Structure formats: C-alpha cells, structure tokens
Amino acid sequence: MPTVTFRDETATGKALAEFALPDLPEIITARELVRLRVREEVARHNAAPSARFDGLVRPADTTRRIDWELQADVAERAFRRNGFLLLVGDRQIEDLAETIDLRVDPVVSFIRLVALVGG
C-alpha cells in the first residue's frame, strides 16, 4: 500500500505545502483521493482547532468542529467548477471518476485557480 504525497502548488509549479498519507489503496478514483485528502486535513484541524484553516477549500466557520463529509462535498463541487486542478505525476485529472494507479504516480498536486477580476 503506497504512501501518497499531497502537494499544493502555484500555477507555476512552486510548492506551497505538502503532507503524506501512508497505506492508501494502490488503485483509487480521483474522487476518493480528494475525499481522503479533505478528511485528513479536517481531522488535523479538528484535533488542534485554530481560526485559520489550511485546506483545499475553506469552511465558512472554523470556530466549530468541521464536518469532513460536508467539506469533501464542497471540494468535489469546487473541482467540477474548475476551482482547482488535480495533477497526478504530469497528468491532469479531468474527471473525479478517473482511476489512478498510486504505485506509478504517488505525488498528487492540487493547484488552486483564482478567478480573474472582470473575467
């Protein structure tokens, strides 16, 4: 079971943050991967709450315990609206149903996209 590195990057490829999760399934869908990432970051936040939430998508209220499933649903909607790109190795994932072989590509990059003003 591979260890996967989740990495947040800028559009130019500069790494902003990363963390690893061990023992993930070898074959997984993009949806499951996004949900696992969100579950982990919410668990870390709930274990040591703070006013700032460092995660894929920001919850409306960080003063209460965050529900990881609701947060994962928000992340799925953000993906479908092009709120972030998902790269596995050098390949862009375009559908949450896509299957990913983590034995081949154990680095998953998330690139948040910022809407242009007036665009």
Side-chain angles (χ1 to χ4, degrees), residues 15-98:
L16 299 172
E18 72 178 43
F19 67 91
L21 278 181
D23 303 324
L24 293 186
E26 294 175 346
I27 307 294
I28 192 168
T29 66
R31 175 176 286 102
E32 292 167 321
L33 205 54
V34 168
R35 294 184 75 82
L36 281 170
R37 180 218 161 119
V38 171
R39 185 180 74 186
E40 177 66 17
E41 65 194 15
V42 167
R44 290 178 184 198
H45 176 81
N46 286 340
S50 71
R52 181 182 166 112
F53 179 80
D54 291 319
L56 186 58
V57 290
R58 305 222 188 287
D61 183 4
T62 59
T63 60
R64 297 186 210 163
R65 186 167 181 80
I66 298 171
D67 180 322
W68 81 266
E69 289 176 309
L70 292 175
Q71 198 66 8
D73 292 343
V74 170
E76 284 187 38
R77 286 192 300 274
F79 177 85
R80 287 192 297 271
R81 289 189 327 269
N82 295 318
F84 63 90
L85 298 177
L86 178 58
L87 303 175
V88 177
D90 293 332
R91 180 172 63 103
Q92 181 177 340
I93 303 301
E94 297 184 14
D95 189 314
L96 289 173
E98 279 189 54

Side-chain angles (χ1 to χ4, degrees), residues 104-117:
V104 175
D105 293 311
V107 177
V108 179
S109 299
F110 294 80
I111 302 169
R112 286 189 205 128
L113 301 176
V114 179
L116 298 173
V117 175

